[in-house]
Amino acid sequence: AGIYIADQMPETHKGRSMGLYEFTRGFGRCLGPALCGYYLISHSYNQAWQLIAVFCLLTDGILWYLVYRRKKT
C-alpha cells in the first residue's frame, strides 16, 4: 500500500502523505485490539466479526465514492 500511495502522490506531498499513512496505520494497530477486547467483554465473537464486516463495508463505500468523484472531475 505504501508504494501505491507514494506513486500516486505528487513529489511535493509524498513525505506528508506517507507520514499520515504510517501514523493512522499505527494508531489503528494500537487502538484496534484494545477496542475489540472491550467489545468482546459484553458481546460474542460472532457479533464482533459482524461489526468489523460492517466497518469494512462502510470504509469500502466511502473509498469507492471518493475514487468515483475524483474520476468525474
Side-chain angles (χ1 to χ4, degrees):
I3 295 171
Y4 176 77
I5 292 170
D7 189 43
Q8 298 298 314
M9 290 292 133
E11 291 292 326
T12 57
H13 291 66
K14 280 189 183 185
R16 281 179 271 190
S17 64
M18 289 308 297
L20 182 62
Y21 169 72
E22 290 297 329
F23 175 77
T24 54
R25 183 176 165 200
F27 192 69
R29 286 184 176 201
C30 176
L31 285 181
L35 292 176
C36 192
Y38 284 123
Y39 187 79
L40 284 172
I41 290 172
S42 60
H43 296 84
S44 69
Y45 280 99
N46 189 28
Q47 291 171 325
W49 279 113
Q50 289 174 357
L51 180 67
I52 292 168
V54 167
F55 179 75
C56 290
L57 288 172
L58 287 173
T59 303
D60 185 48
I62 291 168
L63 290 173
W64 179 83
Y65 171 74
L66 291 172
V67 169
Y68 179 74
R69 189 180 71 171
R70 183 177 176 193
K71 286 182 180 180
K72 285 179 75 175
T73 58

